[in-house]
Amino acid sequence: MTTAVDTPRNPTPRSSVSVADVRTEATGSIGLGTTVRQSLSMGYRGLLKIRHNPEQLIDVVFQPIIFTLMFTYIFGGAISGNVHSYLPVIIPGILVQSVITTSMVTGTQLREDMDKGVFDRFRSLPIARISPLAGALLADVVRYLVASVITFGVGLAIGWRPNPVGAIASILLVGVCAFAVSWIFALMGCLIKKASAVQGISMLILFPLTFMSNAFVPVDTMPGWLQAFVKVNPVSHLVSAVRELCNTGHPGVDVVWSLVGAAVIVAIFAPLAVTAYIREAR
């Protein structure tokens, strides 16, 4: 005996399922704990990339060494009278400059991964929408740590003696702020279609902010109009916070301003980055 199966005479071919269809049909919500675990898993993926491609750390290894030695021995005598007196000024400035500049790579690598189709797979998975982005940014924290340790190591080698507790606190503070800033570059990586363009625009933003600050020279030596900008520059507040922690071991008001600024940046740019990231899937 056979069983007949009715089939439509003119079946309508079904197109491939899009990510938007999958998201629309999804009914379950993902809790905070699951989102954190998924973000950490994505972060581990980023660490594996660094393990298999250690050349990704070349910039964070050599840039702090070159900048620390160059600025110290070129400008130390002219600004502070001697190298030893300039170290408490320049080392915190180099730390902030190196780590914040490192966060720029986040947007570039994100754009490269998206161009290769890596994130297309992530968008179709039943995971928190923010986890692929948050994981990529968490993996870059290792880069911030490497840049911080090398900067402090070079400073110690040439005679700088910071407060130990303050030095550890400053590394954590700069890492938190760099993680917040990296959300800005993650948004740029989602919006700009070329990795080279992401890098170029990021440099145009970061270089004025880092060099037009109190990181390298005293503010009172600048023209009045420039001093007005330097005093409200968030990089200046972060540099002042690191100097307070490293040189005295006590947190000041600049530490508070830096943490508040980091929280505001994440609150604004993290949702924008996730929205732009999801839009790419449609």
Side-chain angles (χ1 to χ4, degrees), residues 22-226:
V22 176
R23 290 295 186 185
T24 302
E25 295 173 2
T27 57
S29 61
I30 299 176
L32 178 60
T34 303
T35 300
V36 172
R37 289 194 297 272
Q38 292 171 353
S39 299
L40 292 176
S41 297
M42 291 295 178
Y44 179 69
R45 168 188 173 271
L47 294 180
L48 291 178
K49 289 177 58 180
I50 296 176
R51 176 184 176 184
H52 293 294
N53 299 284
E55 63 270 13
Q56 296 182 23
L57 297 177
I58 290 178
D59 57 338
V60 299
V61 170
F62 290 101
Q63 178 177 314
I65 297 174
I66 295 173
F67 273 69
T68 301
L69 297 178
M70 182 175 65
F71 277 89
T72 299
Y73 289 105
I74 292 178
F75 299 115
I79 295 176
S80 298
N82 58 75
V83 171
H84 183 74
S85 300
Y86 190 49
L87 291 177
V89 177
I90 189 60
I91 299 299
I94 292 294
L95 172 66
V96 173
Q97 188 260 353
S98 298
V99 176
I100 295 297
T101 303
T102 298
S103 67
M104 174 182 66
V105 181
T106 299
T108 304
Q109 292 185 345
L110 179 62
R111 183 70 259 173
E112 290 177 347
D113 280 347
M114 295 179 74
D115 290 340
K116 294 176 181 177
V118 175
F119 281 82
D120 292 337
R121 171 65 174 170
F122 296 153
R123 296 190 194 102
S124 64
L125 294 176
I127 59 177
R129 297 183 177 187
I130 197 175
S131 59
L133 290 178
L137 272 60
L138 286 172
D140 285 336
V141 172
V142 175
R143 297 168 57 86
Y144 309 151
L145 180 61
V146 171
S148 301
V149 171
I150 291 179
T151 301
F152 278 7
V154 174
L156 292 171
I158 59 181
W160 182 53
R161 296 297 179 266
N163 180 280
V165 177
I168 296 174
S170 65
I171 292 176
L172 296 176
L173 175 64
V174 174
V176 169
C177 293
F179 176 78
V181 172
S182 64
W183 280 106
I184 300 176
F185 300 115
L187 175 61
M188 294 174 58
C190 294
L191 296 178
I192 302 174
K193 301 303 182 183
K194 295 290 184 180
S196 58
V198 175
Q199 182 177 9
I201 296 175
S202 300
M203 292 177 64
L204 289 176
I205 295 173
L206 279 184
F207 270 59
L209 286 176
T210 53
F211 284 95
M212 296 172 63
S213 69
N214 62 351
F216 308 111
V217 298
V219 179
D220 55 12
T221 63
M222 304 177 184
W225 62 268
L226 184 55

